[in-house]
Amino acid sequence: MNGGTRVDPAESVPDAEDSVAPGAPPIQDTVALDGEGSCIAAARHRAVDFLARVQAEHGLPVSARAMDLTRLVVSELVTNARKYAPGPVLMELRISGAVVEVVVWDSDPVLPVARAADAGRVGQHGLEIVMAVSQGFEVQREPVGKRITARIALPDDPGGDVTGRRPQ
């Protein structure tokens, strides 16, 4: 693939916590993106291909909403990594229960912060968007850089909540 190196999920070390079924290897895909302009589109395509394989090969339900939101979250996170961090970006997609986790690592140690609402601000809404559409979101400082994880529910929520969150 142009813009990244494919890592075969079968070569990964199984982790029962991330498995769909106990004892089964995790369903995941990892790609190193070169940080060039085409890497954002490549990451979006990789995410859609991954979810299509999850549905076809593992029989897991993946709603059209989950496909669209995953594509959006990947686009926003990889765009931010490319914009603010020099060098490559690592993207991991993995299934954990009924969610897809989108994990993006970059070399910048500065943790992102959602900005206060400002109707006059043009742009710089990516993090706010990701947080609004994700079922879960976390940022972790790493020995080098940071890792951002967003979780998106795979099936549609019967209550109609776009994020798949349950009412509190």
Side-chain angles (χ1 to χ4, degrees):
M1 178 177 102
N2 190 10
T5 302
R6 184 178 179 126
V7 175
D8 186 346
E11 295 175 4
S12 64
V13 176
D15 178 357
E17 185 177 302
D18 292 332
S19 297
V20 174
I27 302 171
Q28 64 186 38
D29 187 24
T30 303
V31 61
L33 303 162
D34 59 16
E36 298 300 319
S38 64
C39 79
I40 299 164
R44 283 193 303 260
H45 291 297
R46 185 71 170 250
V48 169
D49 290 348
F50 172 74
L51 289 179
R53 283 195 327 271
V54 162
Q55 196 166 28
E57 296 173 13
H58 300 277
L60 294 175
V62 178
S63 68
R65 175 205 48 79
M67 284 276 195
D68 290 343
L69 291 180
T70 301
R71 184 183 302 119
L72 174 64
V73 166
V74 163
S75 185
E76 293 296 338
L77 292 180
V78 173
T79 297
N80 284 352
R82 183 175 176 273
K83 182 175 179 180
Y84 296 110
V89 175
L90 185 66
M91 179 179 76
E92 181 180 357
L93 304 161
R94 61 182 176 230
I95 302 300
S96 180
V99 301
V100 59
E101 294 181 337
V102 176
V103 183
V104 174
W105 171 89
D106 67 51
S107 63
D108 186 0
V110 176
L111 301 182
V113 178
R115 298 177 63 180
D118 179 357
R121 184 175 74 224
V122 177
Q124 298 185 344
H125 297 280
L127 190 59
E128 296 166 56
I129 292 168
V130 170
M131 292 172 72
V133 303
S134 296
Q135 187 176 25
F137 178 83
E138 68 185 61
V139 178
Q140 228 177 329
R141 186 168 279 124
E142 295 289 327
V144 175
K146 67 183 167 295
R147 181 177 310 274
I148 299 175
T149 304
R151 294 172 189 81
I152 300 156
L154 292 172
D156 279 332
D157 181 59
D161 188 318
V162 71
T163 66
R165 295 184 191 127
R166 301 283 179 234
Q168 304 290 342

PDB file of all heavy atoms in Angstrom, residues 32-37 39 77-90 104-110 144-146:
ATOM      1  N   ALA A  32       2.032   1.553   9.491  1.00  0.00           N
ATOM      2  CA  ALA A  32       2.907   2.711   9.679  1.00  0.00           C
ATOM      3  C   ALA A  32       2.706   3.610   8.466  1.00  0.00           C
ATOM      4  O   ALA A  32       2.893   3.173   7.332  1.00  0.00           O
ATOM      5  CB  ALA A  32       4.360   2.271   9.794  1.00  0.00           C
ATOM      6  N   LEU A  33       2.290   4.827   8.717  1.00  0.00           N
ATOM      7  CA  LEU A  33       2.046   5.797   7.648  1.00  0.00           C
ATOM      8  C   LEU A  33       3.230   6.744   7.570  1.00  0.00           C
ATOM      9  O   LEU A  33       3.779   7.147   8.600  1.00  0.00           O
ATOM     10  CB  LEU A  33       0.749   6.563   7.928  1.00  0.00           C
ATOM     11  CG  LEU A  33      -0.486   5.668   8.089  1.00  0.00           C
ATOM     12  CD1 LEU A  33      -1.605   6.429   8.772  1.00  0.00           C
ATOM     13  CD2 LEU A  33      -0.932   5.143   6.737  1.00  0.00           C
ATOM     14  N   ASP A  34       3.612   7.106   6.379  1.00  0.00           N
ATOM     15  CA  ASP A  34       4.826   7.894   6.188  1.00  0.00           C
ATOM     16  C   ASP A  34       4.685   9.368   6.547  1.00  0.00           C
ATOM     17  O   ASP A  34       5.664  10.088   6.583  1.00  0.00           O
ATOM     18  CB  ASP A  34       5.345   7.748   4.759  1.00  0.00           C
ATOM     19  CG  ASP A  34       4.337   8.198   3.710  1.00  0.00           C
ATOM     20  OD1 ASP A  34       3.351   8.903   4.063  1.00  0.00           O
ATOM     21  OD2 ASP A  34       4.530   7.842   2.544  1.00  0.00           O
ATOM     22  N   GLY A  35       3.489   9.836   6.826  1.00  0.00           N
ATOM     23  CA  GLY A  35       3.298  11.232   7.193  1.00  0.00           C
ATOM     24  C   GLY A  35       3.159  12.168   6.006  1.00  0.00           C
ATOM     25  O   GLY A  35       2.986  13.372   6.181  1.00  0.00           O
ATOM     26  N   GLU A  36       3.205  11.641   4.798  1.00  0.00           N
ATOM     27  CA  GLU A  36       3.018  12.464   3.592  1.00  0.00           C
ATOM     28  C   GLU A  36       1.532  12.736   3.393  1.00  0.00           C
ATOM     29  O   GLU A  36       0.681  12.113   4.023  1.00  0.00           O
ATOM     30  CB  GLU A  36       3.613  11.746   2.372  1.00  0.00           C
ATOM     31  CG  GLU A  36       5.106  11.512   2.475  1.00  0.00           C
ATOM     32  CD  GLU A  36       5.906  12.795   2.617  1.00  0.00           C
ATOM     33  OE1 GLU A  36       5.593  13.793   1.947  1.00  0.00           O
ATOM     34  OE2 GLU A  36       6.855  12.803   3.412  1.00  0.00           O
ATOM     35  N   GLY A  37       1.206  13.639   2.472  1.00  0.00           N
ATOM     36  CA  GLY A  37      -0.171  14.051   2.225  1.00  0.00           C
ATOM     37  C   GLY A  37      -1.121  12.926   1.899  1.00  0.00           C
ATOM     38  O   GLY A  37      -2.273  12.935   2.312  1.00  0.00           O
ATOM     39  N   CYS A  39      -1.144   9.994   3.033  1.00  0.00           N
ATOM     40  CA  CYS A  39      -1.333   9.032   4.118  1.00  0.00           C
ATOM     41  C   CYS A  39      -2.715   9.153   4.754  1.00  0.00           C
ATOM     42  O   CYS A  39      -3.233   8.167   5.281  1.00  0.00           O
ATOM     43  CB  CYS A  39      -0.228   9.144   5.160  1.00  0.00           C
ATOM     44  SG  CYS A  39      -0.374  10.495   6.329  1.00  0.00           S
ATOM     45  N   LEU A  77      -7.888  12.128  13.259  1.00  0.00           N
ATOM     46  CA  LEU A  77      -6.716  11.819  14.078  1.00  0.00           C
ATOM     47  C   LEU A  77      -5.428  11.784  13.253  1.00  0.00           C
ATOM     48  O   LEU A  77      -4.391  12.299  13.688  1.00  0.00           O
ATOM     49  CB  LEU A  77      -6.913  10.498  14.822  1.00  0.00           C
ATOM     50  CG  LEU A  77      -7.994  10.500  15.908  1.00  0.00           C
ATOM     51  CD1 LEU A  77      -8.079   9.124  16.562  1.00  0.00           C
ATOM     52  CD2 LEU A  77      -7.753  11.581  16.948  1.00  0.00           C
ATOM     53  N   VAL A  78      -5.487  11.197  12.069  1.00  0.00           N
ATOM     54  CA  VAL A  78      -4.286  11.139  11.229  1.00  0.00           C
ATOM     55  C   VAL A  78      -3.936  12.534  10.702  1.00  0.00           C
ATOM     56  O   VAL A  78      -2.766  12.903  10.624  1.00  0.00           O
ATOM     57  CB  VAL A  78      -4.447  10.104  10.092  1.00  0.00           C
ATOM     58  CG1 VAL A  78      -3.280  10.163   9.114  1.00  0.00           C
ATOM     59  CG2 VAL A  78      -4.571   8.695  10.681  1.00  0.00           C
ATOM     60  N   THR A  79      -4.955  13.333  10.372  1.00  0.00           N
ATOM     61  CA  THR A  79      -4.706  14.711   9.934  1.00  0.00           C
ATOM     62  C   THR A  79      -3.991  15.499  11.030  1.00  0.00           C
ATOM     63  O   THR A  79      -3.008  16.193  10.765  1.00  0.00           O
ATOM     64  CB  THR A  79      -6.024  15.415   9.547  1.00  0.00           C
ATOM     65  OG1 THR A  79      -6.600  14.736   8.429  1.00  0.00           O
ATOM     66  CG2 THR A  79      -5.798  16.876   9.207  1.00  0.00           C
ATOM     67  N   ASN A  80      -4.474  15.377  12.272  1.00  0.00           N
ATOM     68  CA  ASN A  80      -3.834  16.093  13.386  1.00  0.00           C
ATOM     69  C   ASN A  80      -2.403  15.615  13.605  1.00  0.00           C
ATOM     70  O   ASN A  80      -1.498  16.424  13.837  1.00  0.00           O
ATOM     71  CB  ASN A  80      -4.647  15.928  14.666  1.00  0.00           C
ATOM     72  CG  ASN A  80      -5.892  16.793  14.671  1.00  0.00           C
ATOM     73  OD1 ASN A  80      -6.094  17.631  13.802  1.00  0.00           O
ATOM     74  ND2 ASN A  80      -6.751  16.567  15.650  1.00  0.00           N
ATOM     75  N   ALA A  81      -2.201  14.303  13.543  1.00  0.00           N
ATOM     76  CA  ALA A  81      -0.846  13.770  13.733  1.00  0.00           C
ATOM     77  C   ALA A  81       0.078  14.294  12.647  1.00  0.00           C
ATOM     78  O   ALA A  81       1.206  14.705  12.923  1.00  0.00           O
ATOM     79  CB  ALA A  81      -0.880  12.239  13.716  1.00  0.00           C
ATOM     80  N   ARG A  82      -0.391  14.298  11.416  1.00  0.00           N
ATOM     81  CA  ARG A  82       0.428  14.775  10.300  1.00  0.00           C
ATOM     82  C   ARG A  82       0.725  16.275  10.448  1.00  0.00           C
ATOM     83  O   ARG A  82       1.811  16.738  10.148  1.00  0.00           O
ATOM     84  CB  ARG A  82      -0.290  14.507   8.984  1.00  0.00           C
ATOM     85  CG  ARG A  82       0.530  14.913   7.794  1.00  0.00           C
ATOM     86  CD  ARG A  82      -0.166  14.514   6.496  1.00  0.00           C
ATOM     87  NE  ARG A  82       0.613  15.022   5.400  1.00  0.00           N
ATOM     88  CZ  ARG A  82       0.468  16.245   4.893  1.00  0.00           C
ATOM     89  NH1 ARG A  82      -0.417  17.064   5.372  1.00  0.00           N
ATOM     90  NH2 ARG A  82       1.230  16.630   3.882  1.00  0.00           N
ATOM     91  N   LYS A  83      -0.265  17.018  10.938  1.00  0.00           N
ATOM     92  CA  LYS A  83      -0.126  18.471  11.049  1.00  0.00           C
ATOM     93  C   LYS A  83       0.813  18.885  12.187  1.00  0.00           C
ATOM     94  O   LYS A  83       1.591  19.822  12.039  1.00  0.00           O
ATOM     95  CB  LYS A  83      -1.508  19.087  11.275  1.00  0.00           C
ATOM     96  CG  LYS A  83      -1.526  20.590  11.354  1.00  0.00           C
ATOM     97  CD  LYS A  83      -2.946  21.107  11.468  1.00  0.00           C
ATOM     98  CE  LYS A  83      -2.986  22.616  11.565  1.00  0.00           C
ATOM     99  NZ  LYS A  83      -4.348  23.119  11.679  1.00  0.00           N
ATOM    100  N   TYR A  84       0.734  18.188  13.321  1.00  0.00           N
ATOM    101  CA  TYR A  84       1.441  18.656  14.507  1.00  0.00           C
ATOM    102  C   TYR A  84       2.688  17.855  14.879  1.00  0.00           C
ATOM    103  O   TYR A  84       3.440  18.295  15.747  1.00  0.00           O
ATOM    104  CB  TYR A  84       0.486  18.665  15.712  1.00  0.00           C
ATOM    105  CG  TYR A  84      -0.643  19.638  15.531  1.00  0.00           C
ATOM    106  CD1 TYR A  84      -1.946  19.193  15.321  1.00  0.00           C
ATOM    107  CD2 TYR A  84      -0.418  21.010  15.545  1.00  0.00           C
ATOM    108  CE1 TYR A  84      -2.993  20.091  15.142  1.00  0.00           C
ATOM    109  CE2 TYR A  84      -1.456  21.913  15.359  1.00  0.00           C
ATOM    110  CZ  TYR A  84      -2.738  21.441  15.166  1.00  0.00           C
ATOM    111  OH  TYR A  84      -3.765  22.319  14.986  1.00  0.00           O
ATOM    112  N   ALA A  85       2.899  16.691  14.279  1.00  0.00           N
ATOM    113  CA  ALA A  85       4.043  15.858  14.666  1.00  0.00           C
ATOM    114  C   ALA A  85       4.910  15.547  13.458  1.00  0.00           C
ATOM    115  O   ALA A  85       4.392  15.140  12.423  1.00  0.00           O
ATOM    116  CB  ALA A  85       3.558  14.567  15.303  1.00  0.00           C
ATOM    117  N   PRO A  86       6.215  15.729  13.591  1.00  0.00           N
ATOM    118  CA  PRO A  86       7.086  15.371  12.469  1.00  0.00           C
ATOM    119  C   PRO A  86       7.218  13.853  12.359  1.00  0.00           C
ATOM    120  O   PRO A  86       7.122  13.145  13.352  1.00  0.00           O
ATOM    121  CB  PRO A  86       8.425  15.999  12.860  1.00  0.00           C
ATOM    122  CG  PRO A  86       8.387  16.030  14.357  1.00  0.00           C
ATOM    123  CD  PRO A  86       6.946  16.247  14.730  1.00  0.00           C
ATOM    124  N   GLY A  87       7.380  13.380  11.146  1.00  0.00           N
ATOM    125  CA  GLY A  87       7.683  11.970  10.945  1.00  0.00           C
ATOM    126  C   GLY A  87       6.488  11.068  10.779  1.00  0.00           C
ATOM    127  O   GLY A  87       5.374  11.527  10.524  1.00  0.00           O
ATOM    128  N   PRO A  88       6.727   9.787  10.955  1.00  0.00           N
ATOM    129  CA  PRO A  88       5.692   8.796  10.684  1.00  0.00           C
ATOM    130  C   PRO A  88       4.588   8.789  11.730  1.00  0.00           C
ATOM    131  O   PRO A  88       4.730   9.339  12.824  1.00  0.00           O
ATOM    132  CB  PRO A  88       6.459   7.479  10.697  1.00  0.00           C
ATOM    133  CG  PRO A  88       7.622   7.737  11.594  1.00  0.00           C
ATOM    134  CD  PRO A  88       7.974   9.185  11.381  1.00  0.00           C
ATOM    135  N   VAL A  89       3.502   8.143  11.363  1.00  0.00           N
ATOM    136  CA  VAL A  89       2.327   7.975  12.213  1.00  0.00           C
ATOM    137  C   VAL A  89       2.025   6.484  12.226  1.00  0.00           C
ATOM    138  O   VAL A  89       2.090   5.830  11.186  1.00  0.00           O
ATOM    139  CB  VAL A  89       1.123   8.752  11.628  1.00  0.00           C
ATOM    140  CG1 VAL A  89      -0.145   8.491  12.416  1.00  0.00           C
ATOM    141  CG2 VAL A  89       1.425  10.236  11.549  1.00  0.00           C
ATOM    142  N   LEU A  90       1.698   5.950  13.378  1.00  0.00           N
ATOM    143  CA  LEU A  90       1.319   4.552  13.489  1.00  0.00           C
ATOM    144  C   LEU A  90      -0.169   4.495  13.796  1.00  0.00           C
ATOM    145  O   LEU A  90      -0.637   5.162  14.721  1.00  0.00           O
ATOM    146  CB  LEU A  90       2.112   3.878  14.605  1.00  0.00           C
ATOM    147  CG  LEU A  90       1.914   2.383  14.786  1.00  0.00           C
ATOM    148  CD1 LEU A  90       2.445   1.635  13.557  1.00  0.00           C
ATOM    149  CD2 LEU A  90       2.634   1.905  16.032  1.00  0.00           C
ATOM    150  N   VAL A 104      -4.012   5.972  17.282  1.00  0.00           N
ATOM    151  CA  VAL A 104      -3.044   6.692  16.451  1.00  0.00           C
ATOM    152  C   VAL A 104      -1.910   7.173  17.353  1.00  0.00           C
ATOM    153  O   VAL A 104      -2.145   7.824  18.371  1.00  0.00           O
ATOM    154  CB  VAL A 104      -3.710   7.882  15.721  1.00  0.00           C
ATOM    155  CG1 VAL A 104      -2.677   8.707  14.979  1.00  0.00           C
ATOM    156  CG2 VAL A 104      -4.786   7.382  14.765  1.00  0.00           C
ATOM    157  N   TRP A 105      -0.688   6.799  16.962  1.00  0.00           N
ATOM    158  CA  TRP A 105       0.504   7.236  17.670  1.00  0.00           C
ATOM    159  C   TRP A 105       1.257   8.220  16.785  1.00  0.00           C
ATOM    160  O   TRP A 105       1.342   8.042  15.568  1.00  0.00           O
ATOM    161  CB  TRP A 105       1.434   6.051  17.979  1.00  0.00           C
ATOM    162  CG  TRP A 105       2.758   6.514  18.514  1.00  0.00           C
ATOM    163  CD1 TRP A 105       3.087   6.736  19.812  1.00  0.00           C
ATOM    164  CD2 TRP A 105       3.922   6.849  17.739  1.00  0.00           C
ATOM    165  NE1 TRP A 105       4.387   7.203  19.901  1.00  0.00           N
ATOM    166  CE2 TRP A 105       4.921   7.278  18.624  1.00  0.00           C
ATOM    167  CE3 TRP A 105       4.206   6.853  16.377  1.00  0.00           C
ATOM    168  CZ2 TRP A 105       6.181   7.689  18.211  1.00  0.00           C
ATOM    169  CZ3 TRP A 105       5.461   7.257  15.949  1.00  0.00           C
ATOM    170  CH2 TRP A 105       6.440   7.663  16.871  1.00  0.00           C
ATOM    171  N   ASP A 106       1.779   9.274  17.409  1.00  0.00           N
ATOM    172  CA  ASP A 106       2.687  10.181  16.698  1.00  0.00           C
ATOM    173  C   ASP A 106       3.807  10.589  17.645  1.00  0.00           C
ATOM    174  O   ASP A 106       3.777  10.283  18.832  1.00  0.00           O
ATOM    175  CB  ASP A 106       1.947  11.388  16.104  1.00  0.00           C
ATOM    176  CG  ASP A 106       1.387  12.332  17.154  1.00  0.00           C
ATOM    177  OD1 ASP A 106       2.132  12.755  18.070  1.00  0.00           O
ATOM    178  OD2 ASP A 106       0.194  12.675  17.062  1.00  0.00           O
ATOM    179  N   SER A 107       4.799  11.279  17.114  1.00  0.00           N
ATOM    180  CA  SER A 107       6.016  11.593  17.868  1.00  0.00           C
ATOM    181  C   SER A 107       5.930  12.845  18.737  1.00  0.00           C
ATOM    182  O   SER A 107       6.840  13.105  19.521  1.00  0.00           O
ATOM    183  CB  SER A 107       7.187  11.736  16.894  1.00  0.00           C
ATOM    184  OG  SER A 107       6.949  12.828  16.018  1.00  0.00           O
ATOM    185  N   ASP A 108       4.863  13.622  18.627  1.00  0.00           N
ATOM    186  CA  ASP A 108       4.751  14.859  19.408  1.00  0.00           C
ATOM    187  C   ASP A 108       4.279  14.534  20.823  1.00  0.00           C
ATOM    188  O   ASP A 108       3.207  13.970  21.002  1.00  0.00           O
ATOM    189  CB  ASP A 108       3.764  15.803  18.727  1.00  0.00           C
ATOM    190  CG  ASP A 108       3.694  17.164  19.398  1.00  0.00           C
ATOM    191  OD1 ASP A 108       4.415  17.395  20.392  1.00  0.00           O
ATOM    192  OD2 ASP A 108       2.915  18.000  18.920  1.00  0.00           O
ATOM    193  N   PRO A 109       5.038  14.895  21.859  1.00  0.00           N
ATOM    194  CA  PRO A 109       4.635  14.580  23.232  1.00  0.00           C
ATOM    195  C   PRO A 109       3.527  15.478  23.777  1.00  0.00           C
ATOM    196  O   PRO A 109       2.948  15.181  24.810  1.00  0.00           O
ATOM    197  CB  PRO A 109       5.926  14.779  24.029  1.00  0.00           C
ATOM    198  CG  PRO A 109       6.674  15.812  23.256  1.00  0.00           C
ATOM    199  CD  PRO A 109       6.340  15.551  21.804  1.00  0.00           C
ATOM    200  N   VAL A 110       3.204  16.577  23.069  1.00  0.00           N
ATOM    201  CA  VAL A 110       2.178  17.498  23.556  1.00  0.00           C
ATOM    202  C   VAL A 110       0.805  16.845  23.413  1.00  0.00           C
ATOM    203  O   VAL A 110       0.412  16.425  22.325  1.00  0.00           O
ATOM    204  CB  VAL A 110       2.218  18.837  22.783  1.00  0.00           C
ATOM    205  CG1 VAL A 110       1.086  19.753  23.233  1.00  0.00           C
ATOM    206  CG2 VAL A 110       3.568  19.506  22.957  1.00  0.00           C
ATOM    207  N   VAL A 144       7.994   8.005  23.856  1.00  0.00           N
ATOM    208  CA  VAL A 144       8.226   8.903  22.713  1.00  0.00           C
ATOM    209  C   VAL A 144       6.851   9.239  22.152  1.00  0.00           C
ATOM    210  O   VAL A 144       6.119   8.359  21.715  1.00  0.00           O
ATOM    211  CB  VAL A 144       9.083   8.231  21.618  1.00  0.00           C
ATOM    212  CG1 VAL A 144       9.205   9.142  20.414  1.00  0.00           C
ATOM    213  CG2 VAL A 144      10.460   7.865  22.156  1.00  0.00           C
ATOM    214  N   GLY A 145       6.466  10.484  22.197  1.00  0.00           N
ATOM    215  CA  GLY A 145       5.203  10.914  21.612  1.00  0.00           C
ATOM    216  C   GLY A 145       3.985  10.621  22.459  1.00  0.00           C
ATOM    217  O   GLY A 145       4.042  10.603  23.686  1.00  0.00           O
ATOM    218  N   LYS A 146       2.875  10.381  21.760  1.00  0.00           N
ATOM    219  CA  LYS A 146       1.598  10.124  22.434  1.00  0.00           C
ATOM    220  C   LYS A 146       0.785   9.134  21.619  1.00  0.00           C
ATOM    221  O   LYS A 146       1.025   8.916  20.445  1.00  0.00           O
ATOM    222  CB  LYS A 146       0.810  11.419  22.617  1.00  0.00           C
ATOM    223  CG  LYS A 146       0.337  12.016  21.301  1.00  0.00           C
ATOM    224  CD  LYS A 146      -0.371  13.329  21.533  1.00  0.00           C
ATOM    225  CE  LYS A 146      -0.580  14.112  20.269  1.00  0.00           C
ATOM    226  NZ  LYS A 146       0.645  14.568  19.617  1.00  0.00           N
TER     227      LYS A 146
END
